[in-house]
Every structure is written in structure tokens, then in C-alpha cells.
Amino acid sequence: MREILVAGNWKMNGSNAANMELVAGIVAGVPEGEGFSLLVCPPYPYLSAVVAEAEGSAVKVGAQSVSEHESGAYTGEVAPAMLKDIGCEYVIVGHSERRALYGESSFQVAAKFQAAQVAGLTPILCVGETLEEREDGATERVVDFQLNAVFDAAGIGSFENAVIAYEPVWAIGTGMTATPEQAQEVHKHIRSQLAARDANIAEQVQILYGGSMKGENAAGLLAMPDIDGGLIGGASLKANDFLAIAAAAAQV
Ligand code: PEP
């Protein structure tokens, strides 16, 4: 049985005071129950303090991006080993904002995925199509291309320690959530791509849904057989909103 992972991507939001209050509120409100875990991904400057605040709680900490390089002359970048060093367990790679705004290719994303694993982090690999691609019937082709870059670079075995997030770009930050059926269809397809390479690994990989998930729609999405959690942007910025999704996860 796969655990549910409820992951918050705080993006470039908050301040020292606000983010400490946010993590403290989440730590204080973790719902009772088993079979789920919580993760928060604050901006880099707050990672260490959030790790310290979350220590000993059920809340894990991850970063929102990482360099594909180990160390050296890469001004402004953060190495995977640095994230591990300060207590991060996860890192998001290939978020659609990184792909669209910073030109990260699927090949660069695959390199980040690999580098994260080498440092002992669990990468959360984001894949997903734009509205135009969906309307062109290209959803599976786009997702396959993004996945194949990682299969080719890192191999199917690397998914023993990885999470996938299906995030339709048209649903991110727009309030337009994919229906549970729309999301399930793509999640099932993603799992079939994994299964074609290794059936056991396919069964164990957590595939999260991301795109305007909130307390009101979480239960319906999480009830789908191939949806193993959420990657949440907007609704991760208030402890009560995030905890409402956690509560839905605790009841699956
Ligand atoms: C995201 O950015 O990963 C995301 C899913 O954002 P939102 O929940 O705001 O749509």
C-alpha cells in the first residue's frame, strides 16, 4: 500500500516571521492517523529554520529546485549535497515554472533528478501538459517525453527513490482543478509507463496530483486509485488550508 504524501510548494512567498508561523501552525495541527506524510518546501533562505522547527514532528522538509552540479563556479545555484547537509529530504525538480520561466529542458531536469539522488535526496519529478497540448490531444506524448528523459538518464531503478507529480500546467494557480477522472487517467498512464519497465517499481512509486488542489476537492482526488497525494501551491500558504488537505489524506 502506497502512503499518501501531501507536499506544499511555498514558491517565492513569505518572510522569516510568516514562514516560521506557517510551519509552526502545520506542525501543531498534523492530523491523527496513519498512512500519510506531510512535506513543506519553503524558499531557500528559510530552509534551515524550517528544518529546525519541524524536527521531531511528522513534517518533512524539501527544496523547490536544485543545481545539477556537485559544486564549483555556478553563481547563485545550490548544490544537492548542501540541501542534504541542512536536513532536507526532498527536492522538487522540473516544476512547470522552472521549465517555462527559466528554460529548464527535460534533459536538464533529468540531470537534476540524478544529482539529487546521488546526494541522498528524494526528487519529486514534475510532469504535465499545457492547455494547448491537452486540447491538441498531446497530453500523453508530452508526459512521456518528460518521463523518458529521466528513464534514459537515470534508469527505471532510480524510481525506487523518487516521487512523480502530475501537474497539468493549465490547473496550476488558476483555480481550474483537473477532475478526479481527468487526473486519474493521466496518473494511470504514468504508472503504465513505469510498469512497462518494472512492475514492482510501478506499484510502489507515489504519483502526486498538483493543480489548484484544496480542502474542498482533495478527498475526491485522493480517492482515485493512482493518486497518491498532492503537490500544493496556493493552498499550502495558510496552515489551515494545508491541514484541510492533510485531514482528507488522513481519511483515505
Ligand atoms: C504548484 O505550483 O505546484 C501548484 C500545484 O500550485 P497551485 O496549487 O497553486 O495550483
Side-chain angles (χ1 to χ4, degrees), residues 225-242:
D226 289 296
I227 300 184
D228 309 314
L231 181 55
I232 298 122
S236 71
L237 297 177
K238 287 195 182 139
N240 284 344
D241 292 348
F242 188 65

Side-chain angles (χ1 to χ4, degrees), residues 9 11 95 97 167 171-173 210-213 231-234:
N9 173 9
K11 306 194 184 183
H95 190 280
E97 287 153 16
E167 299 209 299
I172 295 179
S212 301
M213 194 189 246
L231 181 55
I232 298 122

Side-chain angles (χ1 to χ4, degrees), residues 70 113-121:
E70 227 176 89
F113 177 102
Q114 268 190 300
Q117 283 190 333
V118 167
L121 298 165

